[in-house]
Amino acid sequence: MLETRIRPRRTATGTLSLLLRNPSAMVGAAIILFWTLGGLVALFASPYDPNQTGVGPLLSPPSGAHLFGTDNFGRDIFSRVLAGARVSLWTGLIAVAVSLVVGLPIGAIAGYVRGTTGMVLMRIMDMLLAFPSLLLAMALAVALGPGLGSAMIAVGVVGIPEFARIMYGQTVALREREFVEASRAIGLGDGVILFRHILPNGMAPIMVRSALGMGYAILTAAALSFIGLGAQPPLAEWGVMISDGRGYIISGEWWMTFFPGLAIATSILAFNLLGDGLRDTLDPRLRTSAR
């Protein structure tokens, strides 16, 4: 007699438990949590005011009083790095949110409607992808004017085509699935089918790309701040801090650029690890091969 085995449906709790067992995802999440808590601590219990000058000797190396040393204005670099974590994470979050809010509907509509409308929308996305991302972000930041808000918008706009193309591919793959045909058969409108059925079922690669996009957004925003198109001094932002310290590398004051650079590197690494972990968890093919 054949034995019938019923596989339980994978729930959000089951997905979370798989993610918690993923070492790379947990390392990435731990680093992200560290910088998030550091940014929050800087609001209430920072060792020094991150923008206050003269809290220590000028260009003092790392010591017990100033763990990361001081800069050319006597500001405590450790306090500024913690404050910069809040600014950089918030910048990355807003930029990715802009990419998601604009890119997902464009990709979903283009993939579902197809025809001339879909072709025009995706050709516009292809035109944006044709430009080097950093160059396009610089052009947008110049057009909007220097500032942290301009950097957020510029980085967000640069990420729109990638999210649109991912959603387009997901929509094209899902629009002929059985549950979509059933939804049409019971009389549901195209808008309901698209945004209540297709969009939620295509979110797995979007979540992975969002995690990876956070790291890219932090790096690009720091690059814009470094060249004066993003956050402006004296705001404690990692790109601004590296820009302030670049003239002192040759004379030996390495700590002014090393610690904010290390913060950028570890945050990008963290989001890449988290993105890889999400991909391994959400992709059923990778779960099958792993077993």
Side-chain angles (χ1 to χ4, degrees), residues 134-221:
L134 181 57
L135 183 61
L136 179 59
M138 290 169 58
L140 291 172
V142 169
L144 294 171
L148 185 60
S150 299
M152 292 178 183
I153 296 174
V155 177
V157 170
V158 169
I160 289 173
E162 293 191 24
F163 284 97
R165 289 203 66 84
I166 294 173
M167 196 65 236
Y168 175 82
Q170 290 293 105
T171 304
V172 170
L174 292 170
R175 68 191 299 270
E176 304 300 334
R177 295 285 295 274
E178 292 81 0
F179 67 91
V180 176
E181 295 292 342
S183 299
R184 292 195 189 102
I186 63 175
L188 293 181
D190 290 335
V192 175
I193 294 173
L194 184 58
F195 291 101
R196 291 187 59 183
H197 297 284
I198 292 181
L199 194 61
N201 281 282
M203 286 304 293
I206 296 297
M207 293 173 63
V208 175
R209 184 62 187 85
S210 297
L212 298 175
M214 279 288 295
Y216 169 79
I218 290 173
L219 178 61
T220 306

